[in-house]
Amino acid sequence: MATLPITKRGAEALKAELHRLKTIERPTVINAISEARAQGDLSENAEYDAAKDKQAFVEGRIQELEGKLSAAQIIDPAALDAGGRVVFGATVELEDENSGDKVTYQIVGEDEADIKLGRLNINSPIARALISKEEGDVAEFQAPGGLRRYEVVSVSYI
């Protein structure tokens, strides 16, 4: 399996979710299954079926998270020294050349991407266009609304 880049914050979030699933969700589902079993006939027991479905989801998510964490390459943006270039984990301030609007994004892994929080997936068109750019460079990428151009105003590693 290939390594998956993830920031330190993203890895901590996945570890926290895994811990919650193992210590809270799994025991809760096991209790629900045993309570449903105690009600008798399992062939017509909707609570039992629902609990088994929930168990399958929880166990699947646990396996998924364990797989991602085992393949994770954890990168601490604060420890980076990329000489002012945009790299994974960097926080980039951009200015739209058409509108003059300024936006700030951090380039992160797939699991932690959230555009509303300013976190771009490393595989997104804009992030791919930004990689290796420096302050003052212009990044062009194809967006659904057409070609977009952003000037890199600043690059930081926080």
Side-chain angles (χ1 to χ4, degrees), residues 125-136:
I126 185 172
R128 287 195 312 259
L130 289 169
I131 294 296
S132 297
K133 299 285 191 248
E134 296 178 342
E135 218 173 278

Side-chain angles (χ1 to χ4, degrees), residues 34-45 48:
S34 44
E35 286 174 14
R37 264 197 189 133
Q39 293 176 7
D41 185 13
L42 298 181
S43 64
E44 295 179 15
N45 191 331
Y48 178 77

